[in-house]
Amino acid sequence: MFKRYFLAGIAAGILSGLAAFFYDRIYTTAMEVNFTRLVSPAGIFSASLFTGMLIALCCFTIRACFKKEMEILTNILIAGITLLSMIIPFMVSLPLDMERPELFPGLVIPMQLFPALMWLVIKPLFL
C-alpha cells in the first residue's frame, strides 16, 4: 500500500512542479520581473516534489494510524497546512537591490496551492 502512496506523491510532485514552472514563466513574462535568484526552476521542482511526497506520507500515516481512510481528516489537514504556508512569502526578506519586491508574493503564493491541488487530482487514480 505504501508503494501506491509513494507513486501518487511522486506524480503529484512532478505535475505540481510542471504547473508551478509554467506559472513562473507566465508570471515573470507578464509582469516583467526576475526573481530567479530566489525562485529557480530547480528550487520549484524540488519544493514541489518534496511537498507531494510529504502529503503522501501524511496521508499514509493517517491511514495506518486509524486503520481506514480518513479522507475528510486528510483533506482538512492538507488544506489547513497549505493555507498556513501562505504566510511564509510575506516573512521572506528580499535583497535590497531587488526590483518590484511587492510582486514576489503574487509569484510564490499560487505555487503553494499546486501540490495540494495535484494531490487531490492524482489520489483517486492511484488509490
Side-chain angles (χ1 to χ4, degrees):
M1 182 57 92
F2 179 73
K3 184 178 179 180
R4 286 199 265 169
Y5 278 91
F6 179 75
L7 292 174
I10 287 177
I14 290 171
L15 289 176
S16 66
L18 287 172
F21 175 75
F22 286 123
Y23 175 75
D24 175 62
R25 296 290 100 204
I26 292 168
Y27 186 87
T28 55
T29 302
M31 297 296 170
E32 298 176 354
V33 293
N34 184 7
F35 294 115
T36 53
R37 289 191 311 181
L38 301 171
V39 184
S40 67
I44 291 171
F45 277 105
S46 61
S48 296
L49 195 58
F50 174 76
T51 306
M53 294 303 302
L54 191 64
I55 292 171
L57 181 64
C58 176
C59 291
F60 177 77
T61 304
I62 288 173
R63 186 177 196 281
C65 289
F66 291 105
K67 305 292 186 223
K68 63 179 181 176
E69 182 63 38
M70 300 289 293
E71 191 166 348
I72 201 102
L73 177 63
T74 56
N75 289 347
I76 289 171
L77 282 173
I78 291 168
I81 292 169
T82 300
L83 291 174
L84 286 175
S85 75
M86 290 182 187
I87 296 170
I88 295 169
F90 294 107
M91 296 169 36
V92 172
S93 295
L94 297 175
L96 295 176
D97 63 338
M98 187 72 57
E99 292 183 36
R100 300 171 66 185
E102 67 276 3
L103 296 178
F104 180 72
L107 173 66
V108 294
I109 287 177
M111 288 183 189
Q112 294 177 335
L113 298 173
F114 293 141
L117 179 64
M118 292 304 165
W119 173 258
L120 295 174
V121 169
I122 291 294
K123 183 181 171 189
L125 298 175
F126 283 86
L127 306 173

